[in-house]
Every structure is written in C-alpha cells, then in structure tokens.
Amino acid sequence: MITVYPARTIVTMDPAQPVVDAVAVRDGRILAAGTLDECTSWGPHTIDRRFADHVVVPGMIEAHAHALEGAFALLPYVGWFDRHRVDGGTASGIRTYGALLDRLRELDAATAGSDEPIVVGGFDPIYFRDEPRLGREHLDRVSTERPIFVFHASAHLATVNTAMLERHSITRDTATPGIARDDSGEPNGELQEMPAMVLAASGVAVIFQALEDPAAIDALGQICANQGVTMLCDLAASGLTRPAAQQRWHDAVDHVDFPARIAQRHVAGMLPGATDWTGAADTMLELRRGDTAKLRTAGLKVVLDGSIQGFTAKMGWPGYYTGTDHGQWMVPPEQLLDICRPFHERRINIHAHCNGDLTIDLWIDTVEQLILESPWLDHRHTVQHCQLTTSAQYRRMARLGMCANIFANHLWFWGDEHHDLTVGPERARRLEAAATAEREGVSFSLHSDANVTPLGQLHSMWCAVNRVTPSGRVLGEHERISPTSALRAVTLGSAHQLHLDGEFGSIECGKAADLTILDDDPLAVDPMAIRDIGVWGTVVGGRPFPARRPAS
C-alpha cells in the first residue's frame, strides 16, 4: 500500500528539487517526492494528512553519540544546564556545590542502609569558577562511609569521595596515571581518564549495569524520537570486547516498535592489552554479517586523547591558556598505524577521537600512510570532534578524502570556558570551524556526543549557525555557516560519513522513508530560533513515531 504524506513544507536536500509538497511511501522506502498529484499517480494509495501543518526534512542522523545517553536517563543528573528527559520533561541544572551535595544527600537518604555507591552524572567543575576544584573533601560532607562517584559531563573524568578511594585501595602509592593528587601527594578524589576511573570499580559497575539494562536501549530510542533523530551512531559500541552483548541490541533495536536505527562504531583503543588487531578486524567483519536494516556495523573508533575542558586533550604549542596540562595519549602514537592497518585493509571505516590539535596531526599522518600502503579511494576516515582543526589541517584532510564530525555543541556548553580558560580568545574563535571545513572542501557533520551534551540535531545546527555562548558572545562570527549547510551536515553529511548516503540523508525516490517532522522550517525561521523549533517526532522506515510529551 502506498501512503502519501502532504505537508506544509518538505525540504528534501535533493538539489534537483529542494522543496516539494508531498512524499509517497511504499514498503518503507520513498516512492516519490513532488506535488500531491505526482505522488498519488503511482496507483492505489492512502493520503495521510497528519503532517499537513508541519515541516518535513530528511531524517536527522546523529553520527556521534553513545548508549550512555539512554543509560543516564536511568541515573540521577547533576549537570550545570537543564536537560531533557526521556518522558519529554526537563531535569533542572545544578549551579552550586551546595545544591550538588544536597542532591547527593537526598539520594543517600532515599536508599538508606545500602552500601552500594551513589552514582550521578553530568557534572563539570569548570563551570564553578568561584569554587575550588571539586574533590573528595567536598563529597565527604555527604558521607564518609558510603562511596560516591560523580561522573563528569565529558565522560573523561570522575570525582569520588574518601570512602570510594578506600574501598578500592586507591592510595598515594597507586601508580596508575590520571590520579589527581593534593599538595601532600595524596589522591584528591579526581580520576582523570578511563585507566584511573576504572580503579573505582564499584562506581563504574553501576554505569555498566545501567548500560546492560534493556530499558536504557529503549530510553535511547525514545529520546531519538523526541529529538527528531532517525539514526544514531553509537561511538562506544562494545562488539569487539563483549560480542555476546550484540544479541541484546538486536533484540531491542530490531523490534518493530523501536523508534530509531542504530549504527555501531566499535571501540579499539580501549581494548586492554590487546595486540591481535588482525583478529579484531576479522571480528568486525563477522559483526557486519549480522547487520539488519535497523542495527548496523558502522566501523571502528579509536580514542586518541582526552577532553579540552578536562585539560586532558593533547595540545600542541603553546598548550593550554590557563590551568594544568594533564594531556594523555589514550593510544601510544607509535602503535596507531599497527592498530588501524588491518581494519583499513579490510575496508572498514575508521573514526578517531581527536580533541587536541596534536591528535589531529597524528591521525592525518596515519591516514596518509594507510592510503600509501593500501590505496582505498573512498575510505571516508573521519576526525571525530575536530575541535581545533586548522585551515592547513583541513586542506590536508580534503586532499586525503577524510571527513570531519564537528562538535558544534561545544560553542554553547563550553564556549565561554574555552575562551576564558582552556585555549584563549584566538583559538576559541576558530573552535568547531565548520565554515573553514566547508570552504576547504571537507565533507562534515555536526554532533552532540550525547550523553556529553544532550541529543538533538536542531541544537547542534543552532550552534554552528549562530556560534553564540551563554554569555552572549559570538565566538568566531566568520566561522558561522548557513542553516542550509547545517541541515545538510546533520542529514547527508552524517549519512556520507557512514557510507550510507545512497540510502539516507535526503528525500528522493529509492531512499529509506526516514523523516523528521518539525513544527517549523529551520531554513525559514530566524536563525536564533532554530533550536526552539518543536519536534512532532519521526518516521522511520515509513512508520511514524511521535515524540513523548510530559504529562500535564
């Protein structure tokens, strides 16, 4: 049966016909896009007018997010900014240490008598400029007996109390990198990057338990529908470390009622002590053989460094503007080529997490060597985050056929902090340089890195178009891009990075019937209003999935 959806406006991202009146869907695919008469001319049909007053755009694709977005829907939120929840409501931000400690005390009281850790997420000490860095002595005011694990928004750091340090025997003699220390050499409670965080095993276990909960996958799918995302790429998938978990994902995502497609980019750089990269690449091919229409293997992710706001990214000269450089290589640079070679040789696309500019240089050099050794003209290897990429680096990326996935949300969530604290005014103005990527001919997308920032491509578009910070500063006016370029980035740009632009990213005959349904046209409203456009929901494979609204 053919279903025809007329709408107020349908933006196709097809240059042959940028705007149409209706779209016809059959068997989960787009049969036609054009006038209502053209769409109904294909034969017996039903006209569904539910979107008649709405604006339809191609299904928005989030090309860098994490399953943690669903898991943290099940865990308490203590971030600075208000944040959407799976029910369509909002969790209020926390703006003082006092409010944070009060929230932890409430959680402690609600589970009185338990010795399980209290685990919360979304916190970042960089916003609390008038306070000393959060440490164990602050959290000890809540409890000296029950372990506490405060997971930072960046997912690169955590702060724990004395009880957590003692439970896991983390002392001044523990040699693991990333254990921050006070002036006397004792651990101060801050654990920087995964090798240090996993020492607090009982706290990390709570997060992994949430990830293993099928409710977390269901929450992730509903958040996608709420935010107009039809496909999400999870860049911390565990198929190489825990392949048995794949069945749980198939059970959830392949279900007819799951409201999104999931692409999985499996992590290599976090494989502890792994050396059989050829075997890992073969495992990836095996995972790919199990792909379905809704759950796919996107490729490999390698994590090269930490976060800029956590001062753990690898920065070149002149380093950080203020603060202490705790930059860490997550993968030894001399090993990166050996890790990536067997994947590249098997035509498995590779994305590298690069926050600092040193890691971007390393990744570009590595891709160049991979191509010299084993030519692959359509690899689309990608710089993930791509935050401080220079014009010269973008030119090299363009020549090598690389892509950029730009973390535009940093302009809002940490733009003022980058300007004032981490990288200084000049580098902050070229942060997330989407206009330069466009000018130099690099295909790019925009991402939220959810759960690091909230899922929502309208917000990512708004950031790239306006480049406004919470203080009202325009952070690099010459790096603004047009709303059309931003919409392309979160549709065709994302699909291109995933080698899926032949199936997704625009509304044209033969592609999947994946649509995002909006209350207004992001190409016609005031650019400052883009992030405030309401989302009706999505259509995935021809099936409508309305956004969830909070109970009135």
Side-chain angles (χ1 to χ4, degrees):
M1 173 62 74
I2 299 169
T3 302
V4 178
Y5 295 104
R8 171 159 53 103
T9 301
I10 300 176
V11 180
T12 67
M13 301 310 295
D14 176 4
Q17 48 173 16
V19 178
V20 297
D21 300 322
V23 57
V25 174
R26 185 177 71 191
D27 299 330
R29 299 171 70 181
I30 295 168
L31 180 65
T35 66
L36 183 60
D37 286 346
E38 289 170 342
C39 289
T40 58
S41 69
W42 279 84
H45 60 270
T46 298
I47 298 178
D48 188 328
R49 298 187 181 276
R50 75 179 78 190
F51 307 140
D53 296 326
H54 290 81
V55 173
V56 177
V57 301
M60 292 185 177
I61 300 170
E62 172 53 86
H64 186 146
H66 299 282
L68 275 169
E69 176 76 346
F72 270 92
L74 312 180
L75 294 170
Y77 172 71
V78 295
W80 179 266
F81 294 92
D82 293 352
R83 186 164 184 130
H84 58 240
R85 305 302 285 175
V86 67
D87 64 359
T90 301
S92 297
I94 286 179
R95 299 296 182 93
T96 67
Y97 279 5
L100 170 65
L101 300 184
D102 285 344
R103 179 67 175 125
L104 292 169
R105 292 185 184 104
E106 291 171 3
L107 294 168
D108 185 33
T111 53
S114 173
D115 64 354
E116 287 296 306
I118 301 169
V119 178
V120 296
F123 175 79
D124 194 328
I126 202 169
Y127 298 123
F128 297 85
R129 299 193 188 187
D130 297 328
E131 297 276 8
R133 189 89 169 173
L134 187 78
R136 62 173 179 163
E137 70 278 4
H138 296 98
L139 303 183
D140 288 349
R141 299 173 196 170
V142 176
S143 178
T144 57
E145 298 178 356
R146 188 170 182 184
I148 298 172
F149 188 95
V150 178
F151 198 38
H152 291 206
S154 69
H156 286 270
L157 299 93
T159 304
V160 303
N161 64 345
T162 299
M164 180 66 82
L165 295 172
E166 291 177 345
R167 174 174 287 194
H168 298 289
S169 301
I170 304 170
T171 70
R172 67 183 299 126
D173 297 322
T174 305
T176 303
I179 301 173
R181 301 176 188 276
D182 61 24
D183 293 340
S184 68
E186 294 292 335
N188 67 14
E190 184 168 289
L191 305 176
Q192 300 162 351
E193 298 301 333
M194 192 57 67
M197 283 191 286
V198 296
L199 298 177
S202 60
V204 173
V206 172
I207 296 171
F208 276 101
Q209 287 165 9
L211 279 170
E212 296 287 340
D213 191 335
I217 302 178
D218 292 340
L220 181 65
Q222 186 58 53
I223 294 170
C224 285
N226 292 352
Q227 299 301 317
V229 172
T230 57
M231 181 187 297
L232 177 144
C233 189
D234 176 9
L235 264 80
S238 59
L240 296 181
T241 52
R242 293 183 294 126
Q246 288 301 105
Q247 188 57 51
R248 176 171 53 86
W249 277 92
H250 276 292
D251 291 343
V253 177
D254 290 339
H255 195 282
V256 66
D257 292 330
F258 192 81
R261 302 182 197 269
I262 301 294
Q264 294 181 313
R265 194 166 293 283
H266 300 279
V267 178
M270 294 182 181
L271 288 172
T275 55
D276 182 12
W277 303 113
T278 298
D282 288 338
T283 297
M284 186 83 75
L285 295 178
E286 185 64 31
L287 290 171
R288 184 175 286 172
R289 282 188 276 273
D291 283 359
T292 62
K294 291 179 72 176
L295 184 68
R296 302 186 183 214
T297 303
L300 180 72
K301 179 192 178 183
V302 182
V303 181
L304 296 186
D305 68 346
S307 74
I308 298 172
Q309 69 273 26
F311 297 91
T312 58
K314 292 297 292 184
M315 301 288 288
W317 189 89
Y320 285 97
Y321 189 52
T322 67
T324 303
D325 187 341
H326 298 291
Q328 295 185 38
W329 289 110
M330 297 294 103
V331 171
E334 64 275 10
Q335 294 181 16
L336 182 60
L337 182 62
D338 290 338
I339 292 171
C340 295
R341 182 181 289 113
F343 294 92
H344 175 85
E345 290 174 345
R346 286 158 178 76
R347 302 303 186 254
I348 295 170
N349 176 250
I350 309 169
H351 289 209
H353 162 117
C354 302
N355 273 320
D357 47 1
L358 282 183
T359 56
I360 295 169
D361 278 335
L362 172 65
W363 180 225
I364 294 173
D365 290 344
T366 301
V367 170
E368 183 173 34
Q369 184 60 34
L370 289 170
I371 296 170
L372 288 171
E373 293 180 3
S374 179
W376 179 15
L377 298 182
D378 195 26
H379 57 82
R380 308 185 200 182
H381 296 325
T382 296
V383 179
Q384 283 290 344
H385 300 323
C386 216
Q387 297 208 65
L388 291 171
T389 312
T390 65
S391 296
Q393 288 171 328
Y394 273 124
R395 285 190 287 274
R396 287 191 68 200
M397 290 167 61
R399 288 195 296 270
L400 294 171
M402 298 177 70
C403 299
N405 197 356
I406 298 172
F407 199 171
N409 277 12
H410 258 259
L411 297 163
W412 172 257
F413 288 99
W414 287 283
D416 287 321
E417 286 67 34
H418 291 320
H419 181 281
D420 298 342
L421 300 174
T422 67
V423 301
E426 186 272 337
R427 285 181 293 177
R429 283 192 290 270
R430 63 172 169 83
L431 195 75
E432 324 301 348
T436 296
E438 188 170 46
R439 181 175 60 252
E440 300 297 347
V442 175
S443 179
F444 68 94
S445 62
L446 308 172
H447 69 273
S448 68
D449 198 11
N451 65 301
V452 175
T453 70
L455 185 67
Q457 291 293 56
L458 285 171
H459 190 279
S460 297
M461 289 176 58
W462 179 89
C463 289
V465 169
N466 296 290
R467 298 184 65 91
V468 174
T469 72
S471 70
R473 175 187 285 130
V474 175
L475 197 61
E477 61 179 313
H478 300 295
E479 288 296 346
R480 288 169 161 171
I481 59 174
S482 70
T484 299
S485 293
L487 181 60
R488 179 183 176 86
V490 302
T491 53
L492 273 172
S494 297
H496 176 80
Q497 269 176 32
L498 296 168
H499 279 86
L500 293 175
D501 48 314
E503 297 180 63
F504 305 96
S506 59
I507 299 173
E508 53 185 307
C509 180
K511 287 196 171 183
D514 286 13
L515 313 170
T516 296
I517 316 301
L518 304 174
D519 292 345
D520 217 333
D521 184 352
L523 308 187
V525 301
D526 185 314
M528 284 296 289
I530 290 173
R531 69 175 178 178
D532 299 318
I533 294 172
V535 177
W536 180 92
T538 61
V539 174
V540 177
R543 179 172 177 176
F545 291 96
R548 189 172 293 174
R549 311 294 182 188
S552 57

